[in-house]
Amino acid sequence: MIKGLLRFVVAVIFILSGFVKAVDLVGFSFKMEEYFSPTVFNMPFFEKFALLFSVIVVILELLLGFMLLLKLKLKFTLSALIALCVFFGFLTFYSAYFNVVTDCGCFGDAIKFTPWQSFIKDIVLLLALLILFVLYRKDFRKKDTYSYSGKKESNKIQYILLAVFSLVMVGIGAYGILYEPVIDFRDYKIGTDLKAEKEKINKNPSEYKTFYSLKNEKTGETLKVDQDAYIRENKYWAEGSPWKIEEGKNESVLIKEGYKSEIVKFKIEDPTGMDVTEEIINAPRAILVFSYHPKEVSPELLKQVEAKVKTQKANIVYGVSTEPNTFKTLKNMMMDGTAIKTIARSNPFILVLENGKIIDKQPAKEYIK
């Protein structure tokens, strides 16, 4: 009973992890792009294959997790899951130790883990899998344990369930790629009040402290001091002081966790740098057309979207992208590309707000139908 319960728990964890990523495969591919970026593994040539890699990883998680739940090909399943866990463990340790990817995306946007929490989770899962491997060693088949060939197994129902499960997951994943996630785990789901979220963030902001890296030009000694100590001790900054700040080595450390929300990144500016966020979230009705990769969007599609948007009744109608001249007939506004990707996965997409509340969000291709 104990080994059956442990198997069930581990299987469900892998299935849930795969499911939340399958719902939003495009979002998971953005996370893969981070790992391939020059600041992490420096393999930018793999970035264009990020979605393919995401699909492969999610398929492995879902199928192996479900196979473990059904006790199908146990030796193969456990061995593959152990290998997968070792791979994830390496990624999360690298992220945590070098502080390069702050969220591994293990459970998509549904559950957020810090890099060290993700690494600990992977180690616990790996230990659980190793224990299961030992506990079930007597149940392993002596022949064809690592293949699907050979004598047919009698458990047809399990394979039918696996096939049905696979088809459902393929449908959910495909829908998320072509349109938007079936289930929206993001902070920007329809019904979210951006104005209320902004107020919560302002009332309970996160607090950071800057640590300066100093070097004594006379002795070569280096040390780190926080901003308070630096201001208090005039020996660090007085005229003629041998202590100099080392550029590029200062650190900003979180000392108090405030209200956490991705809405903190919702900041829209005009091409001159003027912040228009408050104007947008206070408007009775605002329609925004977003694009995080404007160069990849068909000019004809943009033309159709702009034409339809201008016929809608709204106090504010803006085009928001990473380039200042993306839109031809709409006022161009600017926003960070990563922040735009957080709102929706389609490129481009339309966001409709009423008094700061999201009432509609859909891909441009669906909007113009």
Side-chain angles (χ1 to χ4, degrees):
M1 186 179 70
I2 292 174
K3 71 178 183 180
L5 180 61
L6 181 60
R7 175 177 57 80
F8 176 81
V9 170
V10 173
V12 168
I13 289 173
F14 275 101
I15 292 169
L16 287 177
S17 175
F19 174 76
V20 294
K21 290 197 283 285
V23 166
D24 187 10
L25 280 166
V26 177
F28 185 49
S29 73
F30 294 155
K31 191 60 59 179
M32 296 292 282
E33 287 178 5
E34 282 190 58
Y35 281 106
F36 294 139
S37 67
T39 56
V40 185
F41 290 121
N42 195 23
M43 296 188 292
F45 44 88
F46 278 135
E47 288 184 13
K48 59 183 178 181
F49 302 110
L51 183 58
L52 175 62
F53 287 133
S54 301
V55 171
I56 293 171
V57 169
V58 170
I59 287 174
L60 287 174
E61 271 194 300
L62 286 170
L63 290 187
L64 292 172
F66 203 69
M67 287 171 67
L68 180 61
L69 188 66
L70 298 176
K71 290 182 67 176
L72 283 174
K73 297 289 182 181
L74 266 179
K75 189 173 184 180
F76 167 82
T77 302
L78 286 170
S79 300
L81 283 173
I82 288 170
L84 194 63
C85 227
V86 170
F87 171 70
F88 282 143
F90 166 73
L91 288 182
T92 52
F93 174 78
Y94 191 94
S95 299
Y97 187 79
F98 293 101
N99 194 31
V100 285
V101 180
T102 55
D103 175 20
C104 71
C106 302
F107 285 90
D109 288 297
I111 304 173
K112 298 289 187 179
F113 282 112
T114 65
W116 282 116
Q117 287 173 340
S118 298
F119 175 66
I120 293 169
K121 180 262 299 177
D122 289 331
I123 294 301
V124 172
L125 275 177
L126 180 59
L127 290 174
L129 287 167
L130 291 172
I131 292 171
L132 283 173
F133 196 93
V134 173
L135 292 176
Y136 277 103
R137 67 189 184 281
K138 293 181 180 179
D139 297 354
F140 296 154
R141 293 181 176 275
K142 294 181 180 180
K143 295 181 180 180
D144 303 310
T145 52
Y146 287 91
S147 72
Y148 287 94
S149 60
K151 186 179 178 180
K152 290 184 178 180
E153 295 179 312
S154 60
N155 42 12
K156 290 182 181 179
I157 295 177
Q158 284 94 325
Y159 282 109
I160 292 172
L161 288 173
L162 181 63
V164 172
F165 175 77
S166 301
L167 288 173
V168 171
M169 290 300 104
V170 167
I172 289 173
Y175 188 90
I177 293 173
L178 295 174
Y179 304 102
E180 282 288 311
V182 175
I183 304 172
D184 197 344
F185 293 109
R186 293 161 295 185
D187 290 344
Y188 291 94
K189 62 178 67 69
I190 292 176
T192 300
D193 190 331
L194 301 185
K195 190 190 299 186
E197 288 293 297
K198 286 277 188 182
E199 289 174 358
K200 290 178 183 177
I201 293 167
N202 292 333
K203 287 179 180 178
N204 185 20
S206 295
E207 294 180 12
Y208 294 84
K209 180 172 283 190
T210 300
F211 284 79
Y212 297 108
S213 178
L214 304 177
K215 184 174 183 178
N216 191 308
E217 294 184 333
K218 291 183 178 179
T219 64
E221 180 187 358
T222 60
L223 54 82
K224 280 190 178 293
V225 296
D226 65 60
Q227 60 193 48
D228 298 328
Y230 179 80
I231 294 172
R232 186 171 58 250
E233 302 288 338
N234 63 0
K235 66 179 180 180
Y236 295 130
W237 48 265
E239 186 177 351
S241 171
W243 293 101
K244 302 298 179 184
I245 295 176
E246 294 186 285
E247 295 297 329
K249 293 187 178 181
N250 300 332
E251 289 182 287
S252 182
V253 179
L254 179 68
I255 58 172
K256 176 183 171 291
E257 186 76 77
Y259 180 73
K260 293 186 71 174
S261 173
E262 288 293 329
I263 309 301
V264 71
K265 299 174 185 176
F266 190 83
K267 183 179 180 182
I268 299 175
E269 300 175 340
D270 69 11
T272 67
M274 181 180 293
D275 193 333
V276 296
T277 310
E278 289 298 315
E279 175 193 359
I280 291 170
I281 64 176
N282 284 303
R285 184 176 175 85
I287 301 178
L288 308 173
V289 182
F290 285 91
S291 176
Y292 51 82
H293 279 317
K295 292 180 181 178
E296 296 179 3
V297 180
S298 160
E300 182 59 30
L301 176 59
L302 274 184
K303 183 179 179 181
Q304 292 176 12
V305 172
E306 290 185 54
K308 180 167 182 178
V309 166
K310 291 182 72 176
T311 65
Q312 306 300 304
K313 293 182 179 180
N315 304 88
I316 288 177
V317 180
Y318 288 154
V320 186
S321 75
T322 54
E323 300 288 340
N325 300 307
T326 299
F327 302 93
K328 306 304 178 186
T329 60
L330 301 181
K331 283 188 177 180
N332 279 274
M333 297 296 166
M334 307 288 291
M335 190 175 185
D336 176 70
T338 302
I340 295 176
K341 289 177 181 179
T342 306
I343 302 171
R345 308 310 188 197
S346 306
N347 181 43
F349 66 89
I350 286 76
L351 187 74
V352 182
L353 305 175
E354 286 188 357
N355 294 309
K357 187 175 183 178
I358 299 175
I359 64 164
D360 193 19
K361 178 173 65 172
Q362 55 182 302
K365 292 180 180 178
E366 289 297 298
Y367 183 75
I368 62 176
K369 285 184 178 180

